[in-house]
Amino acid sequence: GIHIALMGDPTLRLHPVALGERSGEVTMHANAYPDSSSLLKMTDRHKELWPKTRNERPIIVPVRTLDSLRSELGAGPFFVKLDVQGYELHVLRGAESLLENTSVIMAEVLFEPLYEGQADFPAVWDFLRQRGFRFTEFIGECRLPPHGELAFADAIFRRAETPDIRA
């Protein structure tokens, strides 16, 4: 995994916790296909689209806010990458202070009802717009046959005053 590739990096600190809008403990729906594990319960639509994700089991995990980790993360400015299976808005709500010193956010956003209680793209966009971010583009899109509707994508949000570094 990624932690093996980064193991010699002295700047790397792993925090074996879930992220959310408040600290404590939470039930995680661990999936046989780990990329689909989430703090939110999977919908039947998700299981229909990706049958290998049908088997899940609940486990209790510690949850922290990004703001509670801020002192361990340094001064910033930060690039925040979120891929938390529909829980992105919860994580962002627990990062109000950190977002003040964040330049760019890459967040997976959903267009299909894949998790119960998930935040969709308009909700994430609205939350970030209210905090001075603008939507820039989608990358890594997953589209569904037969017409190519978006299921999910990574959305890039840039703080309004952050320069565009694309060549």
Side-chain angles (χ1 to χ4, degrees), residues 28-57 85 113-118:
M28 180 174 200
H29 303 277
N31 196 282
Y33 182 70
D35 292 355
S36 291
S37 294
S38 177
L39 299 184
L40 300 173
K41 198 165 175 62
M42 200 178 295
T43 64
D44 289 339
R45 175 73 171 143
H46 189 295
K47 295 172 188 175
E48 171 192 324
L49 290 169
W50 296 284
K52 65 184 172 187
T53 65
R54 290 187 187 277
N55 298 321
E56 61 183 345
R57 62 183 173 84
Q85 306 313 107
L114 302 178
Y115 296 91
E116 294 176 9
Q118 74 185 36

Side-chain angles (χ1 to χ4, degrees), residues 5-162:
L6 299 172
M7 274 179 45
D9 186 341
T11 65
L12 178 68
R13 286 190 217 140
L14 296 178
H15 301 273
V17 298
L19 295 173
E21 57 192 303
R22 59 185 70 82
S23 295
E25 288 187 334
V26 68
T27 299
M28 180 174 200
H29 303 277
N31 196 282
Y33 182 70
D35 292 355
S36 291
S37 294
S38 177
L39 299 184
L40 300 173
K41 198 165 175 62
M42 200 178 295
T43 64
D44 289 339
R45 175 73 171 143
H46 189 295
K47 295 172 188 175
E48 171 192 324
L49 290 169
W50 296 284
K52 65 184 172 187
T53 65
R54 290 187 187 277
N55 298 321
E56 61 183 345
R57 62 183 173 84
I59 60 172
I60 304 298
V61 297
V63 62
R64 303 238 343 241
T65 67
L66 273 172
D67 282 345
S68 76
L69 294 169
R70 176 110 193 248
S71 65
E72 301 171 46
L73 299 176
F78 299 105
F79 168 86
V80 174
K81 165 64 169 113
L82 297 175
D83 184 347
V84 290
Q85 306 313 107
Y87 213 67
E88 286 74 11
L89 192 53
H90 296 275
V91 174
L92 291 168
R93 286 182 183 138
E96 292 281 358
S97 175
L98 185 114
L99 290 178
E100 292 172 8
N101 205 16
T102 296
S103 302
V104 178
I105 298 168
M106 178 190 292
E108 184 179 69
V109 292
L110 304 175
F111 298 90
E112 283 285 319
L114 302 178
Y115 296 91
E116 294 176 9
Q118 74 185 36
D120 60 8
F121 172 66
V124 173
W125 187 7
D126 186 55
F127 180 90
L128 290 172
R129 182 179 27 236
Q130 292 175 28
R131 285 148 185 85
F133 290 87
R134 61 187 165 84
F135 168 70
T136 304
E137 66 182 311
F138 290 123
I139 60 173
E141 299 173 356
C142 175
R143 295 187 174 269
L144 300 174
H147 304 294
E149 296 96 344
L150 271 174
F152 59 86
D154 284 329
I156 306 297
F157 301 91
R158 184 176 290 114
R159 183 158 296 285
E161 66 271 9
T162 304

